[in-house]
Amino acid sequence: MGDNSTGNLVIVAKNYTENGEKVRWNSAGETALQSGKRINIHGKQGVSFHKNDPVVLNAGTTIKVLKVEGPKSVVNGNTYEFKATSFSEQVPDNQLRLVSWAFSFDGGKTITPFKTGTTRVEKGVAYKSITVDGNTVDQEVSVYAFFRKPDTKVVTTTKIIYLPLVVDVYRTPGLNEDGTDIANDMAFGKGVAKRPVYTKGEVDAYKNSYVNDGFDVIKDAKYANAASGATYSAIYNEKQILDTGYLMQLSNAAGNDDALFLDFRVMVETMARGDLNDNIKAMINKFQKNEGGVYENAKLTAAAQANPSTQRFCMGIEDEMAERIKKAGGELITMEDKKVYSGSEAGYKTSHPYGHPSYPYSRDYNLLKGLTIAVNDVWSYKVTLLSFKQTGDTYKARYEVQLWDHFGLDLPDMEKFYSWGAGFRAWFLLQHLRGYRPFLTKMQFTKEFSGNIHEGAQERKNKR
């Protein structure tokens, strides 16, 4: 816990003017006005000077604080006001300045006086402003107000919320729809099927670390097909692949690896223009290097962020966060949601109507822009709230979006119209019969939005 004082303030100016309906100077020490010439003080209704008698706590006083109030939750980096609102007898404001303040992180076992923070008194209430800079370990803070010593029964206890915190998680990159094994379009090999690829223990540990710590390119390398010495993780046998049709058999029989990569590259020339043409070439080059891993490209990320589908998704996420804030009365106590959704897209949309970004050729004029061939349909995402600053009833929030996709194909892809394209057949054969590794594609960006604690999703929609 900290304070919000500014320290020393020095103003040097040729002319300096303060204007306001009310101007008040408060000082705990000596206040001096010095001028090389005349000091003029004017008051329309006169000027009064009063002696401020020193405030001294009577040694025998029995006055006690009876009630302390504060917010239900506090967020690190934000300033909050706690208040002592009830006393054992009526106390004048000048005596309320003697209220002391302390805090505890262990339920009152260790109570520590505040050494920082600002205090004020107004209309029979003593206030303490505190800036939260907790250590990310303590779960709650107890705040005490007292005259002589803390009373463990006169306390307000507040939940501490540390940012960043996870807002929403849709699937896990590299895993299948159910989150139980490798994703079908991340599998690769030479036509000898093996299931399961990952054990339940491996998958559970990975999902847990991904939610709490993010994707670690070293620790989680195997889920991006980048682990050194990794063996094939084929899930389709050769017969399944060739039974796709005569064209698949023809592509497999007629082309060596170089010829298949040529078919792949020829296809993308018509499906990605401008900056994203360079991007898809870089993705194919990475695929041909057979290294797996995580692929990021600034121009791909910019295109995804600017796409109308992503914009609709972000608007939906912001509405969802605003709704959680409204329902919690302006608090963030219900903002965190670390449960990973695993399952069908249709099932997800029943509780998350904003869905997830996708860039099919048939929507938002995507056909020749390059997002369809590079990503098409985002496989998983994670949204994290990074900062939250509240002033009165309004707030400003910043959040991070991670979009994940798999640069690979599965058998259902080939059962669609894709099998008619030589480039798609080449891609599929290279992955599932020639052993080239698909990889994870990552697109990450941050956004900001503002809101009012009394306005949830519907109120925001009504304003649009």
Side-chain angles (χ1 to χ4, degrees):
M1 313 294 285
D3 63 35
N4 59 355
S5 61
T6 59
N8 297 320
L9 175 64
V10 178
I11 301 175
V12 179
K14 188 173 183 180
N15 294 296
Y16 175 68
T17 303
E18 289 186 44
N19 293 317
E21 290 187 6
K22 292 183 179 180
V23 178
R24 174 183 293 177
W25 295 352
N26 293 321
S27 173
E30 180 180 285
T31 300
L33 298 176
Q34 297 178 345
S35 172
K37 295 185 178 180
R38 184 191 303 270
I39 295 178
N40 296 316
I41 300 177
H42 302 280
K44 190 173 184 179
Q45 297 180 358
V47 178
S48 300
F49 295 91
H50 302 278
K51 180 180 179 182
N52 186 22
D53 294 328
V55 180
V56 179
L57 183 65
N58 188 318
T61 185
T62 58
I63 303 174
K64 293 183 178 181
V65 178
L66 298 181
K67 187 175 182 180
V68 185
E69 299 178 41
K72 296 178 182 178
S73 64
V74 294
V75 181
N76 57 310
N78 284 253
T79 300
Y80 297 88
E81 201 165 57
F82 292 80
K83 54 187 178 181
T85 58
S86 179
F87 307 90
S88 59
E89 58 185 83
Q90 187 172 355
V91 186
D93 281 0
N94 69 327
Q95 289 290 315
L96 288 182
R97 300 182 192 279
L98 295 173
V99 171
S100 297
W101 297 85
F103 66 92
S104 173
F105 288 130
D106 57 13
K109 296 177 183 177
T110 305
I111 300 177
T112 305
F114 281 108
K115 295 181 180 179
T116 57
T118 59
T119 58
R120 68 183 181 92
V121 175
E122 186 175 329
K123 297 180 180 179
V125 177
Y127 296 87
K128 179 73 174 182
S129 292
I130 301 161
T131 298
V132 182
D133 55 359
N135 57 22
T136 74
V137 173
D138 301 303
Q139 299 300 304
E140 60 183 24
V141 60
S142 298
V143 175
Y144 306 84
F146 54 94
F147 282 99
R148 292 207 169 276
K149 64 179 182 178
D151 183 344
T152 56
K153 295 180 181 179
V154 181
V155 60
T156 182
T157 299
T158 300
K159 180 180 179 180
I160 304 176
I161 297 175
Y162 299 106
L163 299 182
L165 60 80
V166 175
V167 174
D168 193 11
V169 189
Y170 177 63
R171 296 179 180 159
T172 310
L175 298 186
N176 61 12
E177 190 176 74
D178 297 327
T180 57
D181 201 359
I182 193 171
N184 292 349
D185 55 4
M186 283 294 285
F188 68 101
K190 295 196 173 184
V192 179
K194 171 194 172 185
R195 281 186 183 273
V197 175
Y198 307 136
T199 67
K200 183 179 185 304
E202 287 176 326
V203 167
D204 290 345
Y206 167 49
K207 288 193 291 188
N208 182 65
S209 66
Y210 168 68
V211 171
N212 292 301
D213 306 317
F215 187 91
D216 188 307
V217 293
I218 297 176
K219 185 179 67 174
D220 302 325
K222 67 188 302 179
Y223 303 101
N225 292 329
S228 59
T231 57
Y232 296 126
S233 56
I235 60 171
Y236 305 129
N237 61 47
E238 185 173 6
K239 184 177 185 303
Q240 285 177 292
I241 295 169
L242 297 182
D243 281 352
T244 304
Y246 172 74
L247 290 176
M248 184 70 75
Q249 298 169 22
L250 185 64
S251 291
N252 184 53
N256 56 29
D257 291 2
D258 289 340
L260 291 174
F261 273 107
L262 178 60
D263 285 344
F264 195 177
R265 289 186 169 91
V266 168
M267 176 186 68
V268 302
E269 286 295 332
T270 62
M271 301 186 69
R273 302 288 176 84
D275 289 340
L276 293 193
N277 184 270
D278 292 337
N279 169 74
I280 192 61
K281 289 177 180 177
M283 297 179 86
I284 294 175
N285 289 341
K286 181 176 179 63
F287 182 56
Q288 189 167 11
K289 290 178 183 178
N290 206 9
E291 61 189 11
V294 176
Y295 175 83
E296 294 186 75
N297 180 284
K299 292 177 179 178
L300 175 64
T301 297
Q305 183 178 355
N307 189 272
S309 178
T310 307
Q311 295 298 310
R312 291 190 293 268
F313 167 77
C314 289
M315 189 177 296
I317 283 289
E318 291 167 11
D319 287 347
E320 172 68 17
M321 287 190 278
E323 184 70 14
R324 294 182 194 180
I325 292 169
K326 177 190 174 183
K327 287 183 176 179
E331 308 272 357
L332 295 189
I333 51 177
T334 61
M335 179 61 73
E336 187 171 60
D337 183 2
K338 298 171 75 172
K339 182 178 180 180
V340 181
Y341 176 84
S342 297
S344 69
E345 179 181 356
Y348 185 73
K349 283 188 175 181
T350 59
S351 57
H352 300 75
Y354 44 83
H356 66 275
S358 60
Y359 319 110
Y361 72 91
S362 58
R363 190 197 306 164
D364 300 322
Y365 305 100
N366 289 326
L367 180 57
L368 302 178
K369 293 181 179 179
L371 274 176
T372 302
I373 184 63
V375 178
N376 187 38
D377 194 12
V378 168
W379 179 254
S380 63
Y381 69 74
K382 182 163 75 169
V383 178
T384 305
L385 183 64
L386 301 178
S387 67
F388 182 85
K389 294 292 183 181
Q390 183 175 341
T391 304
D393 289 345
T394 63
Y395 59 84
K396 188 173 185 178
R398 184 167 62 92
Y399 64 99
E400 176 188 85
V401 176
Q402 286 185 1
L403 305 177
W404 295 90
D405 193 43
H406 308 151
F407 191 72
L409 298 175
D410 59 16
L411 201 56
D413 288 328
M414 304 317 296
E415 292 168 348
K416 304 172 186 175
F417 73 92
Y418 293 127
S419 62
W420 293 97
F424 284 112
R425 294 196 302 272
W427 184 357
F428 187 82
L429 288 167
L430 287 166
Q431 178 180 341
H432 293 285
L433 275 186
R434 309 297 172 92
Y436 286 88
R437 305 180 188 195
F439 50 84
L440 298 179
T441 303
K442 179 182 179 183
M443 295 153 285
Q444 177 176 302
F445 56 88
T446 60
K447 287 181 68 70
E448 292 184 347
F449 76 102
S450 300
N452 185 291
I453 62 173
H454 303 297
E455 296 178 354
Q458 191 57 54
E459 290 83 0
R460 289 170 62 88
K461 291 175 183 177
N462 292 342
K463 287 185 173 183
R464 293 200 280 268

